[in-house]
Amino acid sequence: SISEASFNWLGFLTAMGSNLTFQSRNVLSKKLMIKKGDGEAVDNISMFSLITIASFIILAPFSLAREGWPLTPAALAASGVADPDT
């Protein structure tokens, strides 16, 4: 609870964000799996593929902003990776 000394707001907000994304995934799955008219319903494998692609698109900017771009020539040289052109 909030009155405990070990309560952590970051952990609480992260858990709530996780709950929100899981329920959103379930709602999206149900909506896409329902067959409407002549269209085909999305099967489990296709749904997994769509969710994977969507999560990459959503998380890639955050990952690059947080971690930076470590594949630049200067960063690779600093990490000891040899330049193939030399």
Side-chain angles (χ1 to χ4, degrees):
S1 77
I2 295 177
S3 62
E4 289 184 24
S6 64
F7 183 79
N8 183 347
W9 275 106
L10 179 62
F12 175 75
L13 294 174
T14 304
M16 291 299 106
S18 174
N19 290 337
L20 180 67
T21 56
F22 278 120
Q23 68 85 21
S24 298
R25 183 182 69 177
N26 290 335
V27 170
L28 175 68
S29 297
K30 285 287 187 188
K31 290 204 178 274
L32 290 177
M33 287 181 142
I34 296 173
K35 188 173 183 178
K36 295 180 180 177
D38 294 335
E40 293 184 24
V42 177
D43 61 349
N44 289 335
I45 299 296
S46 296
M47 177 59 62
F48 181 74
S49 300
L50 290 171
I51 290 173
T52 302
I53 293 168
S55 65
F56 174 77
I57 291 169
I58 291 169
L59 292 176
F62 293 107
S63 175
L64 290 174
R66 175 78 173 127
E67 299 294 327
W69 187 255
L71 298 178
T72 60
L76 290 174
S79 67
V81 177
D83 187 9
D85 294 332
T86 59

